[in-house]
Amino acid sequence: MTPMLRIALKEIRTDFRDRKTFFLLLGFPLLLILILGTALSGSFDSESGAVLKPQVLVQDASGGDKPLAEAFAAFRRQAETNGVVFTDASGTADGTAEVEAGRYDSFVRLTPSGMEVHGSTRHPIESNIAQGMLQAFADRYNAAAAIGAQRPQALQSAFSASESAGGYVQERSIDENRKPGSMDYYALAMTVAVALWGALSSVRLVAGERAQGTAARLMAAPVRKSDIFAGKVLGNVVVNSVCILAVVLLSKWAFGAYWGDNLPLALALLLTVVLLATSLGLFFSYLLQGKSAGGVVMLLVQLAAFFGGAYFPVSTKAADASLLNLWSPVYWANSSLSRLVYEGQIAPALQTMALNLGLALLLLAASAWHMNKKEEL
């Protein structure tokens, strides 16, 4: 085993034996996800809780068109299960006047030549919902009528629920982009923040050796500085990555948080945040030697978490973000991760990964230069 791997293994064993590491990087974030996700669930409701129930007035003037009446009756039963309220009108009622008066959101009139639909301008949302459903029914009925006119024997198979039946009509639906609930949001945001908390442990990678008096022994050992440096960085990255993986899996399985369909890329993005955190803490440990380095890194990490949306929701759109949000590494990763999970956008995640890696390499290079310039660690 090479000296670099021996040093990395020593760092891993030391950190895993430290209970504070597990509490800071594993227990504490899971506790925060549970508390914030449960306590602030009401702030993620997009509506006040009221469910829209379109009111539709129906007038049957089909004149004995039995197929249309039967098809509309089946559609009506299905639509009522989705919250649409239908009311039958008398044969002489003026449905358009009822809609214009605001008593109904839409008016449907079944005629021998088809179906007439009148919408309301007073209640555009409810009216659009009802008209969209009625338009879907009309398209389906027209398709059935066309198939029945050409090949009546194929009409049943055309609307078979099984696609393997070779039907002419196959239904597809596109759901609205999934929106995060409180548990979903804080699982992502808090995990990103915890990944950056790794900077607090990396501050002690070299400072801890000096404090324990083992720095001189390392320098006297037949080990190159580069092996010491690389081993400590590798060990810290492995420990923090394992903790982040545990937080992701436990939040997904224990709390039911949604992590999307591209979990490997999400984990790769979090890994770049871990590497950035390690390089950031190591850089400040050389830049600000002494106890002040830990305090400065703690302040920077907490500010990044605060403005990055770890404790309260922030918009994932750059146009809606403030300058302080845009300067937060937690915001970069949280925004890109949210767009990856809920919108399936890979490009922002790749851009953030490249930014994190670039900054991490720059900080590691600066730290290595500081180490080589000194005679000690």
Side-chain angles (χ1 to χ4, degrees), residues 32-257:
L32 282 179
I33 291 172
L34 180 60
I35 293 175
L36 294 175
T38 303
L40 302 180
S41 59
S43 63
F44 285 78
D45 294 336
S46 57
E47 301 293 339
S48 60
V51 179
L52 296 177
K53 295 184 177 181
Q55 304 287 327
V56 180
L57 183 64
V58 182
Q59 188 177 60
D60 189 356
S62 58
D65 187 352
K66 189 175 181 180
L68 176 59
E70 291 180 350
F72 187 82
F75 160 75
R76 176 173 174 171
R77 288 192 296 271
Q78 182 64 34
E80 286 175 339
T81 63
N82 293 322
V84 182
V85 179
F86 291 91
T87 304
D88 292 318
S90 62
T92 59
D94 187 355
T96 57
E98 294 291 317
V99 172
E100 290 175 359
R103 286 186 281 271
Y104 296 93
D105 303 315
S106 293
F107 169 60
V108 181
R109 187 169 184 267
L110 306 179
T111 68
S113 59
M115 185 176 66
E116 298 176 1
V117 180
H118 302 271
S120 170
T121 57
R122 294 194 177 190
H123 308 122
I125 298 178
E126 293 87 344
S127 179
N128 288 336
I129 292 174
Q131 290 187 61
M133 299 178 71
L134 290 166
Q135 182 63 50
F137 163 73
D139 293 341
R140 185 177 177 87
Y141 180 79
N142 290 335
I147 294 172
Q150 298 295 325
R151 295 183 60 189
Q153 69 276 12
L155 184 58
Q156 183 65 30
S157 62
F159 290 92
S160 174
S162 174
E163 295 183 1
S164 61
Y168 290 92
V169 178
Q170 297 180 359
E171 292 185 345
R172 294 288 188 271
S173 64
I174 301 178
D175 294 333
E176 179 186 8
N177 288 336
R178 175 169 177 156
K179 296 181 180 179
S182 58
M183 196 67 71
D184 301 323
Y185 176 84
Y186 283 110
L188 269 64
M190 191 56 62
T191 303
V192 173
V194 171
L196 195 63
W197 288 354
L200 300 176
S201 60
S202 64
V203 169
R204 301 189 298 271
L205 286 178
V206 176
E209 300 289 351
R210 301 195 197 103
Q212 296 172 6
T214 55
R217 294 183 181 181
L218 277 175
M219 291 300 298
V223 181
R224 294 179 300 179
K225 279 188 176 182
S226 59
D227 289 333
I228 298 174
F229 183 84
K232 286 186 168 293
V233 170
L234 178 60
N236 188 263
V237 169
V238 169
V239 170
N240 291 337
S241 298
V242 170
C243 291
I244 291 301
L245 178 61
V247 171
V248 171
L249 296 181
L250 287 174
S251 66
K252 179 180 177 65
W253 293 334
F255 301 154

Side-chain angles (χ1 to χ4, degrees), residues 341-377:
V341 170
Y342 296 102
E343 301 176 19
Q345 297 187 24
I346 298 178
L350 296 178
Q351 293 170 0
T352 301
M353 291 171 65
L355 177 61
N356 289 342
L357 288 175
L359 289 175
L361 293 176
L362 182 63
L363 292 173
L364 286 175
S367 301
W369 179 79
H370 273 285
M371 174 183 277
N372 289 329
K373 188 176 66 171
K374 300 172 58 178
E375 294 184 359
E376 57 182 8
L377 286 181

